[in-house]
Amino acid sequence: MSATGLHTIQDAGRSGYRAYGVPVSGAMDDFAFETAHLLLGNKKNTPALEISLGKIVLQFEAEMLISVTGFAFTKLNENKIPSWRAVLVMKGDILEIQAHSSGNFAYLSAQGKWEMESWLGSASTYLPVQKGGHNGQAIQAGDTLEIEPATNHLTQYFVSYLKEQKIRYASWGIAPGIFPDYFSKSIRMIAGQEKDFFSNASLADFVQREFNSSNDMNRMAILVKDIPLERENAQELLSVSVQKGTMQITPDGTLYLLMSDAQTTGGYPRIGQVAAVDLPVCAQLRPCRKFRFEWISVDEARNLLLKQHHRLQSLQGILQRKYLSYLRRT
């Protein structure tokens, strides 16, 4: 294995420990992460390799079914292969995943049992305390990821078909129509509990302005500088609860949009909470992308999330039927 950039093992996150100051962590783009597993019939909390920046090259020591989702250029044995579909790799195959200029994160899922360190019930890597995932570390050149391959009943006929046809993947994949609107210029948010700390005039200006995404981001937060907000209430806050999607404003006018490794409390005013359905869009914001913020209601945010959930449920059913259809072809 060779690697440049920052690549970590992540799963659906570490729940139940925020009261003790432990971040949830988990995948930055939870849509791409979940879809990678749906393609293989994996359980939702199966670990995956989160790839960001740079490139990673892996050599497989066993046959297995994999998927790559998110934003990446991918090659198998030097030949380009598409993302967002199931791919059969064989022993000795070399997979190269290169960062894509249109987004920040890609996900490699494999069908099987990942032998990873579990910390507080999750395999998500939390680098500040070096826990979870691959010994609490980012993946480095020369590392070995232990995965016990498996083929479940949903995909066994599909794998047999690929072998008989001597191909590595089928002609179909996940249609872009189901994706979040990754290139939307609008980030939707609901009002935060300290929204009224700011003047009505500056709040109106806030949603009318167009901002540029910056390269000041990591798994903890995305920074947006020079936010034109005038404080009307100078009250100092005690530490209050924050989570992924919380938007805090510091005294120098910097907006911190908290992400997967966010702390659990903060002392700056919470102007808003990004709608959960738009968090994958935020995760994939590349530097210099222009965007605006848009207020929506709690009910609107909930309905948007339910629609996405229903789309994923529908996709799961479609994939199940698709894989079972290969029973008639083998």
Side-chain angles (χ1 to χ4, degrees):
M1 176 189 294
S2 66
T4 58
L6 180 65
H7 319 301
T8 60
I9 301 297
Q10 299 294 334
D11 60 18
R14 188 169 284 111
S15 61
Y17 294 94
R18 294 183 70 252
Y20 304 100
V22 179
V24 174
S25 296
M28 287 283 280
D29 180 345
D30 51 8
F31 178 88
F33 168 84
E34 186 171 346
T35 306
H37 290 319
L38 287 179
L39 278 162
L40 305 179
N42 285 346
K43 293 181 179 178
K44 182 178 179 179
N45 205 36
T46 302
L49 177 59
E50 182 178 85
I51 298 140
S52 63
L53 309 174
K55 179 174 73 173
I56 189 165
V57 180
L58 306 101
Q59 183 169 20
F60 290 82
E61 296 300 324
E63 171 191 309
M64 64 183 71
L65 201 63
I66 67 164
S67 63
V68 177
T69 60
F71 289 87
F73 294 110
T74 309
K75 291 182 180 180
L76 183 63
N77 299 328
E78 296 297 325
N79 297 310
K80 291 182 180 179
I81 62 171
S83 299
W84 302 93
R85 67 188 64 198
V87 176
L88 179 64
V89 296
M90 310 298 288
K91 182 177 180 179
D93 279 353
I94 295 176
L95 183 73
E96 178 181 321
I97 305 173
Q98 172 75 50
H100 194 296
S101 60
S102 295
N104 298 311
F105 297 96
Y107 295 87
L108 170 65
S109 177
Q111 197 174 64
K113 181 181 179 183
W114 293 62
E115 300 294 341
M116 297 295 160
E117 175 188 328
S118 179
W119 180 55
L120 301 178
S122 169
S124 282
T125 308
Y126 183 47
L127 292 173
V129 297
Q130 299 184 355
K131 292 291 186 180
H134 186 65
N135 304 316
Q137 304 289 332
I139 303 302
Q140 304 291 333
D143 284 350
T144 299
L145 303 180
E146 298 288 345
I147 304 172
E148 183 180 332
T151 302
N152 65 31
H153 70 283
L154 283 176
T155 57
Q156 59 182 322
Y157 310 116
F158 178 63
V159 170
S160 297
Y161 169 80
L162 294 178
K163 288 181 177 180
E164 288 176 3
Q165 298 296 313
K166 297 182 180 180
I167 57 177
R168 298 307 187 91
Y169 54 89
S171 59
W172 55 270
I174 304 300
I178 197 175
F179 295 176
D181 189 357
Y182 282 117
F183 301 105
S184 172
K185 289 190 175 181
S186 177
I187 302 297
R188 293 164 291 193
M189 59 184 179
I190 61 176
Q193 290 184 268
E194 288 79 49
K195 175 187 173 185
D196 292 342
F197 278 30
F198 304 95
S199 70
N200 288 333
S202 63
L203 287 172
D205 188 34
F206 176 57
V207 293
Q208 290 170 4
R209 286 206 182 194
E210 195 172 61
F211 298 99
N212 286 318
S213 54
S214 75
N215 57 5
D216 291 326
M217 73 168 293
N218 55 27
R219 284 185 46 82
M220 185 175 180
I222 299 170
L223 274 63
V224 184
K225 297 180 179 179
D226 301 320
I227 300 295
L229 286 168
E230 177 187 5
R231 285 278 296 266
E232 284 191 334
N233 184 337
Q235 175 185 343
E236 293 295 328
L237 293 175
L238 298 175
S239 288
V240 292
S241 176
V242 296
Q243 60 183 319
K244 185 176 182 178
T246 298
M247 301 162 60
Q248 294 186 286
I249 303 289
T250 60
D252 66 354
T254 300
L255 184 151
Y256 283 75
L257 169 53
L258 302 183
M259 296 301 288
S260 294
D261 282 350
Q263 75 275 19
T264 59
T265 61
Y268 297 119
R270 298 162 294 182
I271 187 174
Q273 179 75 29
V274 171
V277 73
D278 280 350
L279 286 172
V281 179
C282 296
Q284 300 290 5
L285 276 175
R286 291 292 293 162
C288 299
R289 271 266 309 279
K290 295 185 181 298
F291 68 95
R292 298 176 184 273
F293 290 109
E294 174 188 349
W295 298 114
I296 61 172
S297 69
V298 172
D299 284 343
E300 287 174 309
R302 183 185 297 114
N303 289 336
L304 287 167
L305 186 60
L306 283 173
K307 286 180 181 178
Q308 179 178 283
H309 179 67
H310 290 153
R311 285 196 298 269
L312 286 170
Q313 281 188 322
S314 177
L315 174 62
Q316 184 176 28
I318 290 169
L319 287 169
Q320 289 174 348
R321 293 190 293 274
K322 189 72 173 179
Y323 286 134
L324 288 174
S325 74
Y326 285 91
L327 173 60
R328 298 189 296 272
R329 308 186 196 186
T330 57

